[in-house]
Amino acid sequence: MKRVLIVGGALLLGMGAVWAQQDSAKEVQTLMKGNGKNAGAMSAMVKGEKPYDQATVDSALAQFEDTAKKLPNLFPASAKGVKLDGDYSTSPKVWEDKAGFDAKIASFAKVVSDAKAKIKDLDSLKASMPAIGKECGGCHETYRIKNS
């Protein structure tokens, strides 16, 4: 009876770890989709496709800030190798170069914070978007892989 309980407990613990890995990976995916949606909304304003809207900009920057705060804790070692549905997954480089990854997130957070203080109209949005895009995209180049 004790063996059954021990084996059952070990299986539940293992299943819990797998669920936690998948939850972490799915949260990252949700954050990245939100970032893409918000970056697209701001880019549409920069391109003149949509009128400037401060509420949309503020919402986008708040979401970027939220992403920067959450990301460092969403890549436990146990999540290495978890493949996501969709176009992209996390590169093993996140764990191989954790210090570099954390530095990229910190740099993104700083750029977003600076932009939040500066963006008050279309011209300041146009001036800030390249830096935001560079920091966001720079992380993708190194720490994201295309699913085949």
Side-chain angles (χ1 to χ4, degrees):
M1 182 67 169
K2 285 183 183 181
R3 282 189 201 157
V4 171
L5 289 175
I6 291 172
V7 170
L11 286 173
L12 286 174
L13 185 63
M15 287 172 47
V18 169
W19 286 326
Q21 293 164 7
Q22 290 175 340
D23 286 348
S24 174
K26 291 221 181 267
E27 186 171 355
V28 169
Q29 194 173 44
T30 299
L31 288 169
M32 292 301 121
K33 285 180 182 180
N35 282 0
K37 177 184 169 200
N38 284 301
M42 291 197 310
S43 291
M45 288 182 235
V46 167
K47 293 175 186 175
E49 297 168 355
K50 298 218 175 185
Y52 181 81
D53 178 39
Q54 188 67 44
T56 299
V57 171
D58 291 344
S59 176
L61 294 172
Q63 202 269 319
F64 294 162
E65 273 187 323
D66 187 49
T67 296
K69 286 177 188 169
K70 289 180 178 176
L71 278 182
N73 299 316
L74 292 175
F75 295 92
S78 61
K80 185 177 181 179
V82 172
K83 190 165 185 176
L84 298 171
D85 294 332
D87 295 335
Y88 298 96
S89 289
T90 306
S91 169
K93 291 179 184 177
V94 166
W95 296 275
E96 294 164 2
D97 181 22
K98 188 69 169 138
F101 179 68
D102 289 344
K104 279 284 193 188
I105 294 170
S107 182
F108 176 69
K110 181 172 179 355
V111 166
V112 169
S113 177
D114 291 348
K116 195 172 179 181
K118 292 177 185 174
I119 300 175
K120 302 298 179 207
D121 56 23
L122 182 59
D123 289 336
S124 55
L125 175 63
K126 286 180 179 181
S128 295
M129 276 299 290
I132 294 169
K134 180 181 175 192
E135 287 305 313
C136 191
C139 197
H140 292 175
E141 290 171 15
T142 306
Y143 301 105
R144 173 179 86 161
I145 54 175
K146 185 153 180 72
N147 290 337
S148 46

